[in-house]
Amino acid sequence: MGVRTTLALAAGKGARAVFRLRGGGSALPGLVTERIDPAVLRHTLGSLPRGVVVVSGTNGKTTTTKMLVALLRAHGLRVFTNPTGSNFTRGVISSMLGEVGLRGRLDADVAVVELDEAHALHFSAQVPPTHSLLLNVARDQLDRFAEIDHTARLLTTLAEQTTEGVVLNVDDPFISRIRGHVRQDVRVGWFGVDPSIADRLPELQEADVRPEDEAGVVLDEQELAGAALLLPADDGRGLTVLCPGGEDLGPVSLRQRGLAAMINATAATAMARHLLGEDFRVEAAAAALERVSPPFGRGEVVDVGGTPLELVLVKNPAGFTVALGTYGAEPVATMIAINDNYADGRDVSWLYDVSFESLRDRGVALTSGVRGWDMALRLRYDGVEVGDVEPDLDAALDRFLREAAGEPMRIFCTYTAMMHLRRRLAERFGLARFGEDPEA
Protein backbone atom coordinates (compact mmCIF):
# COMPACT_ATOMS: atom_id res chain seq x y z
CA MET A 1 0.00 0.00 0.00
CA GLY A 2 1.59 3.23 -1.12
CA VAL A 3 1.58 6.73 0.28
CA ARG A 4 -0.55 7.86 -2.66
CA THR A 5 -3.35 5.45 -1.72
CA THR A 6 -3.24 6.53 1.92
CA LEU A 7 -3.47 10.18 0.90
CA ALA A 8 -6.34 9.41 -1.46
CA LEU A 9 -8.28 7.57 1.24
CA ALA A 10 -7.66 10.35 3.76
CA ALA A 11 -8.89 12.98 1.30
CA GLY A 12 -11.92 10.88 0.44
CA LYS A 13 -12.83 10.36 4.08
CA GLY A 14 -12.57 14.09 4.67
CA ALA A 15 -14.79 14.83 1.69
CA ARG A 16 -17.26 12.20 2.85
CA ALA A 17 -17.55 13.83 6.26
CA VAL A 18 -18.21 17.23 4.67
CA PHE A 19 -20.75 15.94 2.16
CA ARG A 20 -22.61 13.95 4.81
CA LEU A 21 -23.01 17.10 6.90
CA ARG A 22 -24.56 18.72 3.83
CA GLY A 23 -26.91 15.75 3.39
CA GLY A 24 -25.82 14.47 0.00
CA GLY A 25 -22.97 13.53 -2.29
CA SER A 26 -23.06 9.74 -2.44
CA ALA A 27 -20.48 9.63 -5.26
CA LEU A 28 -18.39 12.81 -4.93
CA PRO A 29 -16.08 11.55 -2.11
CA GLY A 30 -15.27 8.59 -4.34
CA LEU A 31 -14.47 10.91 -7.21
CA VAL A 32 -12.04 12.85 -5.00
CA THR A 33 -10.34 9.60 -3.96
CA GLU A 34 -10.18 8.24 -7.50
CA ARG A 35 -8.64 11.44 -8.86
CA ILE A 36 -5.76 11.21 -6.37
CA ASP A 37 -5.19 7.47 -6.78
CA PRO A 38 -6.82 5.95 -9.91
CA ALA A 39 -5.72 2.49 -8.75
CA VAL A 40 -7.35 2.70 -5.32
CA LEU A 41 -9.86 -0.08 -6.11
CA ARG A 42 -7.09 -2.51 -7.01
CA HIS A 43 -5.26 -1.72 -3.81
CA THR A 44 -8.32 -2.24 -1.58
CA LEU A 45 -10.54 -4.87 -3.21
CA GLY A 46 -7.93 -6.86 -5.11
CA SER A 47 -6.92 -9.09 -2.21
CA LEU A 48 -10.26 -10.11 -0.68
CA PRO A 49 -10.11 -13.87 0.03
CA ARG A 50 -13.45 -14.81 -1.62
CA GLY A 51 -13.05 -12.41 -4.52
CA VAL A 52 -15.16 -9.70 -6.13
CA VAL A 53 -18.63 -10.25 -7.58
CA VAL A 54 -19.97 -7.73 -10.11
CA VAL A 55 -23.73 -7.47 -10.71
CA SER A 56 -24.61 -5.72 -13.95
CA GLY A 57 -27.33 -5.40 -16.58
CA THR A 58 -29.94 -2.80 -17.45
CA ASN A 59 -32.63 -3.43 -14.85
CA GLY A 60 -32.66 -4.90 -11.35
CA LYS A 61 -29.04 -4.34 -10.30
CA THR A 62 -29.74 -2.67 -6.96
CA THR A 63 -32.42 -5.14 -5.85
CA THR A 64 -30.44 -8.19 -6.96
CA THR A 65 -27.26 -6.93 -5.29
CA LYS A 66 -29.12 -6.37 -2.02
CA MET A 67 -30.62 -9.86 -2.17
CA LEU A 68 -27.26 -11.50 -2.98
CA VAL A 69 -25.57 -9.67 -0.11
CA ALA A 70 -28.31 -10.87 2.25
CA LEU A 71 -27.90 -14.47 1.05
CA LEU A 72 -24.13 -14.46 1.53
CA ARG A 73 -24.32 -12.81 4.95
CA ALA A 74 -26.89 -15.41 6.00
CA HIS A 75 -24.15 -17.97 5.32
CA GLY A 76 -21.69 -16.20 7.58
CA LEU A 77 -19.63 -14.27 5.02
CA ARG A 78 -18.48 -10.70 5.66
CA VAL A 79 -19.59 -8.78 2.57
CA PHE A 80 -18.60 -5.35 1.32
CA THR A 81 -21.14 -3.75 -1.01
CA ASN A 82 -22.27 -0.39 -2.46
CA PRO A 83 -25.80 -0.13 -1.04
CA THR A 84 -26.54 3.40 -2.24
CA GLY A 85 -27.24 2.31 -5.82
CA SER A 86 -24.52 4.72 -7.00
CA ASN A 87 -23.11 2.28 -9.52
CA PHE A 88 -20.19 4.14 -11.08
CA THR A 89 -16.70 3.32 -9.80
CA ARG A 90 -16.76 6.53 -7.75
CA GLY A 91 -19.93 5.25 -6.03
CA VAL A 92 -18.19 2.01 -5.10
CA ILE A 93 -15.26 3.96 -3.69
CA SER A 94 -17.60 6.25 -1.73
CA SER A 95 -19.25 3.22 -0.14
CA MET A 96 -15.84 1.84 0.74
CA LEU A 97 -14.63 5.00 2.48
CA GLY A 98 -16.77 4.32 5.54
CA GLU A 99 -15.30 0.84 6.00
CA VAL A 100 -11.70 0.96 4.87
CA GLY A 101 -8.73 2.03 6.98
CA LEU A 102 -6.06 4.43 5.77
CA ARG A 103 -3.86 1.42 5.02
CA GLY A 104 -6.50 0.16 2.59
CA ARG A 105 -7.66 -2.84 4.59
CA LEU A 106 -11.32 -3.91 4.34
CA ASP A 107 -12.85 -6.20 6.95
CA ALA A 108 -14.60 -8.37 4.38
CA ASP A 109 -14.39 -11.84 2.83
CA VAL A 110 -15.96 -10.86 -0.47
CA ALA A 111 -17.18 -7.77 -2.32
CA VAL A 112 -20.53 -7.71 -4.12
CA VAL A 113 -20.88 -4.53 -6.17
CA GLU A 114 -23.46 -3.36 -8.66
CA LEU A 115 -22.01 -1.54 -11.62
CA ASP A 116 -23.39 0.46 -14.50
CA GLU A 117 -22.78 -1.44 -17.74
CA ALA A 118 -20.20 1.07 -19.00
CA HIS A 119 -18.45 1.66 -15.69
CA ALA A 120 -18.17 -2.09 -15.12
CA LEU A 121 -15.35 -2.12 -17.67
CA HIS A 122 -13.62 0.82 -15.99
CA PHE A 123 -13.86 -1.16 -12.76
CA SER A 124 -12.62 -4.42 -14.28
CA ALA A 125 -9.58 -2.62 -15.70
CA GLN A 126 -8.60 -2.02 -12.06
CA VAL A 127 -9.99 -5.17 -10.44
CA PRO A 128 -10.86 -8.07 -12.74
CA PRO A 129 -13.98 -9.60 -11.12
CA THR A 130 -13.73 -13.18 -9.98
CA HIS A 131 -17.47 -13.59 -10.64
CA SER A 132 -20.09 -11.73 -12.70
CA LEU A 133 -23.87 -11.93 -12.52
CA LEU A 134 -25.37 -10.55 -15.74
CA LEU A 135 -29.10 -9.83 -15.60
CA ASN A 136 -30.55 -8.42 -18.82
CA VAL A 137 -30.11 -5.93 -21.64
CA ALA A 138 -32.73 -3.32 -22.56
CA ARG A 139 -32.80 0.06 -24.24
CA ASP A 140 -31.69 2.59 -21.66
CA GLN A 141 -30.21 6.09 -21.81
CA LEU A 142 -29.63 6.01 -25.56
CA ASP A 143 -27.46 9.13 -25.39
CA ARG A 144 -24.98 7.26 -23.15
CA PHE A 145 -25.20 3.64 -24.24
CA ALA A 146 -26.25 4.06 -27.87
CA GLU A 147 -28.01 1.07 -29.35
CA ILE A 148 -28.80 -2.09 -27.49
CA ASP A 149 -26.10 -4.17 -29.20
CA HIS A 150 -23.49 -1.81 -27.79
CA THR A 151 -24.75 -2.47 -24.27
CA ALA A 152 -24.61 -6.21 -24.94
CA ARG A 153 -21.00 -5.87 -26.11
CA LEU A 154 -20.07 -4.06 -22.89
CA LEU A 155 -21.42 -6.94 -20.81
CA THR A 156 -19.75 -9.49 -23.08
CA THR A 157 -16.40 -7.80 -22.47
CA LEU A 158 -17.06 -7.88 -18.73
CA ALA A 159 -17.70 -11.63 -18.93
CA GLU A 160 -14.50 -12.11 -20.94
CA GLN A 161 -12.54 -10.39 -18.15
CA THR A 162 -14.11 -12.44 -15.34
CA THR A 163 -11.69 -14.97 -13.91
CA GLU A 164 -13.67 -17.71 -12.10
CA GLY A 165 -17.43 -17.82 -12.67
CA VAL A 166 -20.23 -16.18 -14.66
CA VAL A 167 -23.98 -16.53 -14.05
CA LEU A 168 -26.19 -15.72 -17.06
CA ASN A 169 -29.89 -15.22 -17.78
CA VAL A 170 -30.99 -18.12 -19.97
CA ASP A 171 -34.13 -16.25 -21.10
CA ASP A 172 -32.47 -13.04 -22.33
CA PRO A 173 -30.90 -13.66 -25.77
CA PHE A 174 -28.47 -10.76 -25.33
CA ILE A 175 -27.16 -12.36 -22.14
CA SER A 176 -27.33 -16.03 -23.12
CA ARG A 177 -25.25 -15.31 -26.26
CA ILE A 178 -22.40 -14.31 -23.94
CA ARG A 179 -21.88 -17.98 -23.12
CA GLY A 180 -19.72 -18.39 -26.24
CA HIS A 181 -17.32 -15.65 -25.11
CA VAL A 182 -16.49 -16.88 -21.61
CA ARG A 183 -13.01 -18.32 -21.04
CA GLN A 184 -12.90 -22.11 -21.00
CA ASP A 185 -11.61 -22.26 -17.42
CA VAL A 186 -14.48 -20.06 -16.13
CA ARG A 187 -17.55 -21.86 -14.80
CA VAL A 188 -20.93 -20.81 -16.26
CA GLY A 189 -24.13 -20.88 -14.20
CA TRP A 190 -27.69 -20.03 -15.22
CA PHE A 191 -30.95 -18.59 -13.96
CA GLY A 192 -34.30 -18.12 -15.66
CA VAL A 193 -38.01 -18.80 -15.42
CA ASP A 194 -39.68 -22.19 -15.41
CA PRO A 195 -40.95 -23.07 -18.93
CA SER A 196 -44.52 -23.10 -17.57
CA ILE A 197 -44.47 -19.27 -17.25
CA ALA A 198 -42.36 -18.44 -20.30
CA ASP A 199 -45.34 -16.63 -21.84
CA ARG A 200 -44.84 -13.86 -19.25
CA LEU A 201 -41.35 -12.97 -20.44
CA PRO A 202 -42.55 -10.36 -22.98
CA GLU A 203 -43.67 -8.29 -19.96
CA LEU A 204 -40.03 -7.89 -18.98
CA GLN A 205 -37.62 -7.86 -21.86
CA GLU A 206 -36.86 -6.63 -25.33
CA ALA A 207 -38.31 -8.68 -28.18
CA ASP A 208 -35.03 -9.05 -30.03
CA VAL A 209 -34.54 -12.58 -31.22
CA ARG A 210 -31.93 -13.30 -33.91
CA PRO A 211 -31.82 -16.34 -36.18
CA GLU A 212 -29.19 -17.92 -33.95
CA ASP A 213 -31.59 -17.67 -30.99
CA GLU A 214 -34.57 -19.42 -32.54
CA ALA A 215 -33.62 -22.81 -31.13
CA GLY A 216 -33.03 -21.27 -27.70
CA VAL A 217 -30.21 -22.06 -25.30
CA VAL A 218 -29.98 -25.75 -24.47
CA LEU A 219 -28.20 -26.45 -21.20
CA ASP A 220 -26.11 -29.58 -20.88
CA GLU A 221 -26.69 -31.97 -17.98
CA GLN A 222 -24.21 -30.28 -15.65
CA GLU A 223 -25.55 -26.80 -16.43
CA LEU A 224 -29.15 -27.91 -15.96
CA ALA A 225 -28.29 -29.35 -12.55
CA GLY A 226 -26.95 -25.97 -11.48
CA ALA A 227 -29.62 -23.75 -13.04
CA ALA A 228 -32.07 -21.84 -10.85
CA LEU A 229 -35.59 -21.51 -12.30
CA LEU A 230 -38.35 -19.26 -11.02
CA LEU A 231 -41.82 -20.67 -10.32
CA PRO A 232 -43.98 -17.81 -9.00
CA ALA A 233 -47.12 -18.04 -6.90
CA ASP A 234 -50.24 -16.13 -7.91
CA ASP A 235 -50.12 -13.54 -5.12
CA GLY A 236 -47.36 -11.40 -6.70
CA ARG A 237 -44.89 -12.01 -3.87
CA GLY A 238 -44.53 -15.78 -3.37
CA LEU A 239 -42.07 -17.90 -5.31
CA THR A 240 -40.15 -21.13 -5.40
CA VAL A 241 -36.70 -21.37 -6.96
CA LEU A 242 -36.49 -24.76 -8.65
CA CYS A 243 -33.02 -26.26 -8.59
CA PRO A 244 -32.89 -29.33 -10.85
CA GLY A 245 -30.59 -31.89 -9.27
CA GLY A 246 -30.64 -30.06 -5.96
CA GLU A 247 -32.96 -28.94 -3.19
CA ASP A 248 -35.59 -26.36 -4.20
CA LEU A 249 -35.77 -23.05 -2.32
CA GLY A 250 -39.20 -22.08 -1.12
CA PRO A 251 -41.94 -21.31 -1.15
CA VAL A 252 -40.89 -17.90 0.16
CA SER A 253 -42.72 -14.57 0.19
CA LEU A 254 -40.80 -11.42 -0.78
CA ARG A 255 -41.43 -7.98 0.67
CA GLN A 256 -41.13 -6.49 -2.82
CA ARG A 257 -43.91 -7.13 -5.31
CA GLY A 258 -43.90 -8.19 -8.92
CA LEU A 259 -42.40 -10.66 -11.37
CA ALA A 260 -39.25 -8.58 -11.83
CA ALA A 261 -38.44 -8.81 -8.11
CA MET A 262 -38.96 -12.57 -8.24
CA ILE A 263 -36.54 -12.91 -11.15
CA ASN A 264 -34.03 -10.80 -9.24
CA ALA A 265 -34.39 -13.18 -6.29
CA THR A 266 -33.82 -16.13 -8.61
CA ALA A 267 -30.69 -14.52 -10.07
CA ALA A 268 -29.31 -13.79 -6.60
CA THR A 269 -30.01 -17.37 -5.53
CA ALA A 270 -28.23 -18.72 -8.60
CA MET A 271 -25.11 -16.67 -7.87
CA ALA A 272 -25.15 -17.57 -4.16
CA ARG A 273 -25.32 -21.28 -5.03
CA HIS A 274 -22.55 -20.77 -7.58
CA LEU A 275 -20.30 -19.10 -5.01
CA LEU A 276 -21.07 -21.25 -1.99
CA GLY A 277 -21.34 -24.67 -3.65
CA GLU A 278 -22.03 -27.39 -1.10
CA ASP A 279 -22.12 -24.80 1.70
CA PHE A 280 -25.36 -23.29 0.31
CA ARG A 281 -28.29 -23.95 2.69
CA VAL A 282 -31.85 -23.46 1.41
CA GLU A 283 -33.31 -22.75 4.86
CA ALA A 284 -30.89 -19.91 5.52
CA ALA A 285 -31.36 -18.57 2.00
CA ALA A 286 -35.16 -18.61 2.19
CA ALA A 287 -35.16 -16.79 5.52
CA ALA A 288 -32.72 -14.21 4.16
CA LEU A 289 -34.81 -13.46 1.05
CA GLU A 290 -37.94 -12.98 3.15
CA ARG A 291 -36.16 -10.35 5.26
CA VAL A 292 -34.95 -8.20 2.35
CA SER A 293 -36.86 -4.94 2.16
CA PRO A 294 -37.14 -3.04 -1.17
CA PRO A 295 -34.11 -0.83 -1.80
CA PHE A 296 -34.79 2.88 -1.47
CA GLY A 297 -36.93 4.19 -4.29
CA ARG A 298 -37.55 0.75 -5.82
CA GLY A 299 -41.02 0.01 -4.50
CA GLU A 300 -40.06 1.46 -1.13
CA VAL A 301 -43.11 2.34 0.97
CA VAL A 302 -42.89 5.53 3.04
CA ASP A 303 -45.27 6.00 5.97
CA VAL A 304 -46.71 9.50 5.49
CA GLY A 305 -48.61 10.08 8.71
CA GLY A 306 -50.28 6.68 8.54
CA THR A 307 -50.79 6.73 4.77
CA PRO A 308 -48.51 4.71 2.46
CA LEU A 309 -46.56 6.48 -0.27
CA GLU A 310 -44.74 4.21 -2.70
CA LEU A 311 -41.65 5.40 -4.58
CA VAL A 312 -41.12 3.51 -7.85
CA LEU A 313 -37.99 4.12 -9.94
CA VAL A 314 -38.58 4.09 -13.72
CA LYS A 315 -35.73 4.73 -16.14
CA ASN A 316 -36.38 3.00 -19.45
CA PRO A 317 -39.24 1.49 -21.50
CA ALA A 318 -38.91 -2.02 -20.08
CA GLY A 319 -38.66 -0.78 -16.48
CA PHE A 320 -41.64 1.57 -16.76
CA THR A 321 -43.72 -1.11 -18.48
CA VAL A 322 -42.94 -3.60 -15.71
CA ALA A 323 -43.74 -1.00 -13.04
CA LEU A 324 -47.10 -0.20 -14.62
CA GLY A 325 -47.86 -3.90 -14.98
CA THR A 326 -47.19 -4.39 -11.28
CA TYR A 327 -48.75 -1.22 -9.88
CA GLY A 328 -50.58 0.70 -12.60
CA ALA A 329 -54.14 -0.63 -12.17
CA GLU A 330 -54.29 -0.03 -8.41
CA PRO A 331 -56.58 2.80 -7.21
CA VAL A 332 -54.05 5.20 -5.72
CA ALA A 333 -53.22 8.87 -6.19
CA THR A 334 -50.40 9.07 -8.73
CA MET A 335 -47.62 11.54 -9.48
CA ILE A 336 -44.94 11.13 -12.16
CA ALA A 337 -41.60 12.99 -11.96
CA ILE A 338 -39.30 12.92 -15.00
CA ASN A 339 -35.83 14.48 -15.05
CA ASP A 340 -33.33 14.43 -17.90
CA ASN A 341 -30.06 14.93 -16.05
CA TYR A 342 -26.94 12.98 -17.04
CA ALA A 343 -27.70 10.10 -14.67
CA ASP A 344 -31.25 9.85 -16.06
CA GLY A 345 -30.27 10.09 -19.73
CA ARG A 346 -30.86 13.29 -21.70
CA ASP A 347 -33.12 11.65 -24.26
CA VAL A 348 -36.65 11.02 -22.91
CA SER A 349 -38.20 9.96 -26.22
CA TRP A 350 -38.41 6.48 -24.69
CA LEU A 351 -41.57 7.61 -22.90
CA TYR A 352 -43.35 7.10 -26.23
CA ASP A 353 -42.47 3.37 -26.11
CA VAL A 354 -44.49 2.87 -22.91
CA SER A 355 -48.26 2.33 -22.78
CA PHE A 356 -49.92 4.34 -19.99
CA GLU A 357 -53.45 3.07 -20.55
CA SER A 358 -53.51 1.38 -17.13
CA LEU A 359 -53.52 4.87 -15.56
CA ARG A 360 -56.54 6.02 -17.60
CA ASP A 361 -59.28 5.26 -15.05
CA ARG A 362 -57.96 7.48 -12.25
CA GLY A 363 -55.65 9.77 -14.17
CA VAL A 364 -52.45 11.33 -12.84
CA ALA A 365 -52.72 14.06 -10.20
CA LEU A 366 -49.42 15.79 -11.03
CA THR A 367 -46.47 15.54 -13.36
CA SER A 368 -43.19 17.13 -12.32
CA GLY A 369 -39.47 17.37 -12.95
CA VAL A 370 -37.49 18.97 -15.77
CA ARG A 371 -39.60 17.03 -18.25
CA GLY A 372 -42.89 17.37 -16.40
CA TRP A 373 -44.57 19.02 -19.39
CA ASP A 374 -43.28 16.32 -21.77
CA MET A 375 -44.72 13.66 -19.47
CA ALA A 376 -48.10 15.39 -19.35
CA LEU A 377 -48.21 15.57 -23.15
CA ARG A 378 -47.31 11.88 -23.43
CA LEU A 379 -50.11 10.94 -21.05
CA ARG A 380 -52.63 12.93 -23.04
CA TYR A 381 -51.79 10.90 -26.15
CA ASP A 382 -52.90 7.80 -24.20
CA GLY A 383 -56.06 9.47 -22.94
CA VAL A 384 -54.80 9.85 -19.36
CA GLU A 385 -56.09 12.99 -17.65
CA VAL A 386 -53.43 15.06 -15.84
CA GLY A 387 -54.49 17.26 -12.92
CA ASP A 388 -51.65 19.76 -13.29
CA VAL A 389 -47.97 20.22 -14.09
CA GLU A 390 -45.54 21.56 -11.49
CA PRO A 391 -41.94 21.32 -12.76
CA ASP A 392 -40.40 22.17 -9.35
CA LEU A 393 -40.03 18.90 -7.44
CA ASP A 394 -40.30 20.41 -3.96
CA ALA A 395 -43.44 22.35 -4.81
CA ALA A 396 -44.93 19.30 -6.52
CA LEU A 397 -44.23 17.06 -3.52
CA ASP A 398 -45.78 19.57 -1.10
CA ARG A 399 -48.88 19.85 -3.23
CA PHE A 400 -49.20 16.10 -3.84
CA LEU A 401 -48.94 15.28 -0.12
CA ARG A 402 -51.47 17.99 0.72
CA GLU A 403 -54.07 17.23 -1.95
CA ALA A 404 -53.85 13.42 -1.72
CA ALA A 405 -53.74 13.30 2.08
CA GLY A 406 -55.54 10.28 3.51
CA GLU A 407 -55.38 8.07 0.39
CA PRO A 408 -52.61 5.72 -0.77
CA MET A 409 -50.08 7.49 -2.99
CA ARG A 410 -47.50 6.49 -5.55
CA ILE A 411 -44.77 8.44 -7.33
CA PHE A 412 -43.14 7.05 -10.47
CA CYS A 413 -39.81 8.84 -10.89
CA THR A 414 -36.55 8.81 -12.82
CA TYR A 415 -33.29 8.40 -10.93
CA THR A 416 -32.34 11.96 -10.04
CA ALA A 417 -35.97 12.87 -9.34
CA MET A 418 -36.20 9.88 -7.03
CA MET A 419 -33.01 10.88 -5.21
CA HIS A 420 -34.33 14.42 -4.69
CA LEU A 421 -37.81 13.38 -3.55
CA ARG A 422 -36.48 10.60 -1.34
CA ARG A 423 -34.14 13.07 0.37
CA ARG A 424 -37.05 15.41 1.07
CA LEU A 425 -39.20 12.57 2.36
CA ALA A 426 -36.32 11.43 4.59
CA GLU A 427 -36.12 14.90 6.13
CA ARG A 428 -39.85 14.96 6.86
CA PHE A 429 -40.50 11.41 7.96
CA GLY A 430 -37.22 10.28 9.52
CA LEU A 431 -36.20 7.70 6.92
CA ALA A 432 -32.82 6.01 7.00
CA ARG A 433 -30.08 7.71 4.98
CA PHE A 434 -29.06 6.23 1.66
CA GLY A 435 -27.16 3.02 2.23
CA GLU A 436 -27.90 2.82 5.94
CA ASP A 437 -30.48 0.06 5.76
CA PRO A 438 -29.53 -2.31 8.60
CA GLU A 439 -30.94 -5.22 6.60
CA ALA A 440 -28.82 -4.51 3.54
Side-chain angles (χ1 to χ4, degrees):
M1 187 64 58
V3 174
R4 187 175 185 178
T5 301
T6 299
L7 290 174
L9 291 172
K13 285 174 175 288
R16 179 175 181 269
V18 172
F19 286 121
R20 284 173 70 86
L21 286 174
R22 296 171 57 184
S26 64
L28 285 174
L31 179 61
V32 171
T33 308
E34 192 175 36
R35 287 284 172 84
I36 297 174
D37 181 7
V40 65
L41 285 169
R42 180 165 65 247
H43 295 149
T44 50
L45 299 183
S47 59
L48 294 182
R50 300 292 290 264
V52 177
V53 184
V54 170
V55 179
S56 194
T58 306
N59 292 317
K61 294 185 288 292
T62 301
T63 300
T64 305
T65 299
K66 188 173 184 181
M67 289 175 169
L68 178 57
V69 168
L71 288 169
L72 297 179
R73 286 177 176 166
H75 287 78
L77 293 186
R78 298 169 301 162
V79 184
F80 163 74
T81 188
N82 54 333
T84 65
S86 182
N87 53 30
F88 294 180
T89 51
R90 68 195 66 161
V92 176
I93 297 170
S94 287
S95 298
M96 187 175 64
L97 289 170
E99 302 182 35
V100 69
L102 291 179
R103 298 178 63 83
R105 182 177 176 78
L106 268 175
D107 186 23
D109 299 308
V110 61
V112 178
V113 295
E114 69 156 293
L115 285 166
D116 168 286
E117 300 92 301
H119 280 257
L121 298 187
H122 181 53
F123 178 92
S124 64
Q126 294 298 321
V127 188
T130 56
H131 298 80
S132 293
L133 172 55
L134 304 182
L135 302 174
N136 47 59
V137 175
R139 282 173 294 152
D140 186 31
Q141 301 184 45
L142 294 178
D143 52 305
R144 283 188 60 215
F145 291 114
E147 274 303 334
I148 195 167
D149 284 311
H150 176 66
T151 306
R153 282 195 294 273
L154 293 174
L155 294 181
T156 300
T157 303
L158 177 64
E160 290 171 340
Q161 295 174 345
T162 302
T163 61
E164 295 184 22
V166 175
V167 173
L168 304 174
N169 183 348
V170 70
D171 297 315
D172 187 316
F174 289 102
I175 298 297
S176 60
R177 291 175 198 138
I178 291 174
R179 177 200 213 177
H181 298 268
V182 177
R183 283 171 22 184
Q184 288 189 343
D185 60 339
V186 171
R187 288 192 304 137
V188 178
W190 296 92
F191 71 94
V193 304
D194 184 73
S196 65
I197 63 159
D199 61 339
R200 297 188 62 184
L201 287 173
E203 299 174 27
L204 301 169
Q205 62 190 35
E206 303 281 342
D208 186 292
V209 178
R210 313 289 170 82
E212 62 267 32
D213 303 319
E214 290 180 353
V217 176
V218 178
L219 308 187
D220 63 30
E221 188 172 332
Q222 184 179 1
E223 290 173 324
L224 185 61
L229 300 177
L230 167 66
L231 186 61
D234 294 330
D235 63 0
R237 295 179 188 269
L239 73 138
T240 298
V241 179
L242 305 175
C243 302
E247 189 176 356
D248 295 341
L249 185 153
V252 298
S253 184
L254 302 178
R255 296 188 184 184
Q256 192 169 0
R257 291 186 291 162
L259 184 59
M262 295 182 194
I263 292 179
N264 294 335
T266 306
T269 300
M271 179 50 91
R273 292 177 73 230
H274 192 83
L275 281 168
L276 295 166
E278 294 181 353
D279 293 332
F280 181 83
R281 292 175 284 115
V282 293
E283 296 83 2
L289 285 178
E290 291 195 324
R291 289 194 300 268
V292 176
S293 56
F296 61 85
R298 280 87 170 169
E300 178 184 22
V301 179
V302 179
D303 183 350
V304 179
T307 301
L309 184 155
E310 208 160 24
L311 277 179
V312 181
L313 175 68
V314 290
K315 61 190 186 78
N316 53 48
F320 213 150
T321 299
V322 169
L324 289 170
T326 303
Y327 306 105
E330 296 176 350
V332 303
T334 301
M335 171 174 149
I336 302 178
I338 304 295
N339 274 352
D340 65 354
N341 297 318
Y342 175 75
D344 305 297
R346 302 287 189 189
D347 181 352
V348 296
S349 61
W350 60 269
L351 292 171
Y352 284 82
D353 294 330
V354 181
S355 171
F356 294 95
E357 293 181 359
S358 60
L359 298 175
R360 193 177 288 167
D361 286 347
R362 283 185 56 95
V364 171
L366 271 176
T367 60
S368 184
V370 178
R371 295 291 194 141
W373 287 103
D374 298 78
M375 187 68 241
L377 176 63
R378 175 66 191 93
L379 291 169
R380 292 301 296 269
Y381 277 117
D382 272 358
V384 179
E385 290 296 324
V386 176
D388 206 349
V389 179
E390 173 47 73
D392 184 84
L393 288 170
D394 289 331
L397 181 62
D398 288 343
R399 183 170 168 183
F400 186 57
L401 294 178
R402 184 174 63 252
E403 295 182 355
E407 63 177 317
M409 294 170 275
R410 179 170 301 121
I411 304 177
F412 296 102
C413 39
T414 53
Y415 181 74
T416 64
M418 182 273 290
M419 294 287 281
H420 185 100
L421 293 170
R422 210 272 183 194
R423 190 172 296 118
R424 293 291 178 264
L425 290 166
E427 293 167 357
R428 290 189 182 196
F429 302 106
L431 309 182
R433 295 169 64 98
F434 294 132
E436 292 188 347
D437 182 353
E439 299 175 5

